Amino acid sequence: MCAAVTLPRSKAKASGWIVIAFGWGLAVFMGVYAAYATGGHLNPAVTVGLAVAGKDLAPGVSATAVNVVVYIVAQMLGGIVGAVGAWLAYKRHFDAEAPAADKLGCFSTTPGIRSYGWNVVTEAIGTFALITWVLINGKSPSQLGPLAVALVIVAIGLSLGGPTGYAINPARDLGPHRPRPPADQGQGLLRLDLRLGPRRRAPARRGRGGPARPPHGRALLSGRAGTAESTDTVGMTGPSSTAHPHSPAPSPGDAPQSATTRKDSS
């Protein structure tokens, strides 16, 4: 859904958050039905929640440590396969020029305001709402099953998804990180966006006989993903900042005259 809404030249581009929320909910609806034989587990948080509550993972499948690990590994692999499928379906759109943050958002969630402590709080609230509903669902006489799960996912997305993109599923957010494609001709903007903490500027290299230059003559990345800042003039002022990096150094006799000397000579 994120690829459909954000990538360039997609027919669904800019269709909005509501489309993402409902599309994601209906995708969960399909996935839960497809995985009915194993209890409809798509989320490691649900698996761990059932195990902690002392419930079976599926009819006849007890929540042993081995079974929990097998479930989580399968869920992670499912996230990877799904990410590869999305990349193949939108391959030509990923090749087109687009902000790196938009491409990254197709494979992982990113917060609107990066504050790791509060981002965790938001995700914890959304995941708690989902797990609580799953645990009490069996006591409901409606028996809505997967459709009810889908509606809960839609409700969480519309109400709590704004701050972080509502991963609420480690398999959805961690698994797709590995197969994500490079962005913008190998500049690695997606990988930089995933680094924790402030970005560090790469050390400048000094060219032969000239001022310091950025590595490989490229602009260094800073701030948000997809923005670049040239360091050709960082720390330099005056006319020397525009000198060609390979221009010869001035000799002592070529030193510029002061304003007083020029006035006296005239």
Side-chain angles (χ1 to χ4, degrees), residues 26-104:
L26 293 176
V28 172
F29 173 73
M30 295 172 59
V32 171
Y33 257 118
Y36 75 94
T38 58
H41 291 228
L42 307 177
N43 189 340
V46 173
T47 303
V48 173
L50 291 175
V52 171
K55 295 189 175 184
D56 289 343
L57 302 181
V61 182
S62 59
T64 64
V66 173
N67 287 339
V68 170
V69 171
V70 170
Y71 266 66
I72 292 177
V73 170
Q75 291 157 352
M76 292 291 183
L77 292 176
I80 293 174
V81 172
V84 172
W87 177 73
L88 291 174
Y90 285 89
K91 173 64 169 62
R92 298 307 300 272
H93 297 268
F94 280 111
D95 292 341
E97 185 71 22
D102 290 349
K103 296 181 181 180
L104 172 65

Side-chain angles (χ1 to χ4, degrees), residues 135-173:
L135 293 178
I136 67 174
N137 178 46
K139 301 178 181 180
S140 173
S142 62
Q143 299 298 320
L144 291 176
L147 178 59
V149 176
L151 294 177
V152 170
I153 297 295
V154 172
I156 292 174
L158 292 177
S159 59
L160 298 173
T164 60
Y166 75 111
I168 60 175
N169 184 348
R172 176 263 179 271
D173 213 49

